[in-house]
Amino acid sequence: MKAVFYSPNPDGPQLARAIRRLERDVLRMGALVEQSFRLSHQALFSRNLTAAEALPQLDKKIDRFYRQIESDCTAIMTLQATTPQDLRCLSAFMQLVRDLERIGDYAEDLAEIAIKIFPYPPHASLPEIAIMSHHAQAMLATSLVALADLDEAGGRSVKRLDDVVDNAYERLYQTLAFQKDVPGVVEPIVLLALAIRCLERMADHATNIGQRVAYIVTGQRS
């Protein structure tokens, strides 16, 4: 079933068409960001350098969507037929796509980390970091489903999932920061510390998306 973000003004067919195009573009951008997250996971945990090399081009597509959607939102806001409900939706979209764009940036950062860490033997913490990545990806997927369905409860549920990622970050940071008798260079540990920070921030942005969905539905900020 096609998602409808709100009931368009019956007196503004131009506005209704513009919003429908905007809806499609936001969800398409979300799909690209999910793809970028999956590729970064493959790059880091499956040591798939082909996936890592695909990220910069994909990030350019995400950035183009971001600029286009932001511009379209601004243009739609100038139409005389816009209602307060329309403006609330457009404002949330502009913030939401910024969160998506940042997740895409962090995915590209993870790919760069994967390339730098590739020559080193896999670290013992990698399986736990991979689980953290899966949780963050699940949060993004949940927030995007909530957006497509305009599901307030689904949007708010993402914040609860964030606790799992935050706890994993704290536990892994302690493990990496206080590791003793490190053989050879410390670069792999530094890179993994950066990786878990990226994942923690990606989860935060997914939480923001869920909160913005709830705001679109209710008009209330949590």
Side-chain angles (χ1 to χ4, degrees):
M1 180 182 296
K2 185 185 181 302
V4 178
F5 287 98
Y6 73 102
S7 299
N9 185 338
D11 296 326
Q14 179 184 359
L15 174 62
R17 288 193 298 271
I19 287 286
R20 281 196 293 269
R21 287 194 299 270
L22 188 59
E23 293 171 6
R24 291 193 295 268
D25 286 343
V26 171
L27 292 174
R28 286 171 182 164
M29 181 181 177
L32 288 177
V33 172
E34 281 194 290
Q35 182 184 353
S36 72
F37 205 157
R38 286 194 298 270
L39 287 174
S40 70
H41 184 98
Q42 293 169 18
L44 188 57
F45 303 108
S46 300
R47 301 170 73 85
N48 185 340
L49 294 188
T50 300
E53 291 165 356
L55 261 296
Q57 198 62 35
L58 183 57
D59 191 58
K60 289 180 181 178
K61 293 181 181 179
I62 292 169
D63 288 345
R64 283 197 294 270
F65 263 114
Y66 170 61
R67 290 191 296 269
Q68 175 196 325
I69 292 168
E70 189 174 55
S71 175
D72 289 347
C73 284
T74 302
I76 293 170
M77 285 178 173
T78 65
L79 298 176
Q80 291 184 349
T82 50
T83 66
Q85 187 179 14
D86 299 331
L87 294 173
R88 184 179 79 208
C89 181
L90 293 167
S91 173
F93 279 177
M94 291 179 74
Q95 298 174 65
L96 185 153
V97 294
R98 177 58 178 165
D99 287 307
L100 286 173
E101 190 268 341
R102 291 301 295 137
I103 293 173
D105 285 346
Y106 283 120
E108 190 174 17
D109 290 343
L110 286 174
E112 293 175 0
I113 290 170
I115 292 170
K116 291 178 181 177
I117 209 170
F118 183 81
Y120 299 103
H123 191 273
S125 295
L126 271 177
E128 190 174 356
I129 298 174
I131 293 172
M132 181 183 178
S133 175
H134 280 306
H135 281 303
Q137 288 180 71
M139 290 174 63
L140 175 60
T142 300
S143 68
L144 290 173
V145 169
L147 176 62
D149 295 341
L150 268 196
D151 178 4
E152 177 197 353
R156 294 193 187 282
S157 73
V158 182
K159 187 171 181 59
R160 294 192 295 273
L161 299 174
D162 191 42
D163 291 339
V164 176
V165 175
D166 286 343
N167 291 337
Y169 173 78
E170 293 297 334
R171 187 169 57 251
L172 284 161
Y173 181 83
Q174 292 297 317
T175 298
L176 295 169
F178 297 101
Q179 184 173 338
K180 298 179 180 179
D181 302 322
V182 179
V185 298
V186 298
E187 184 181 26
I189 296 174
V190 173
L191 290 171
L192 289 177
L194 291 172
I196 63 172
R197 179 58 176 165
C198 287
L199 290 169
E200 190 266 341
R201 293 300 298 137
M202 293 163 96
D204 285 347
H205 285 292
T207 300
N208 290 346
I209 294 170
Q211 296 299 303
R212 300 192 201 292
V213 172
Y215 172 68
I216 291 172
V217 176
T218 66
Q220 298 178 349
R221 298 188 184 276
S222 59

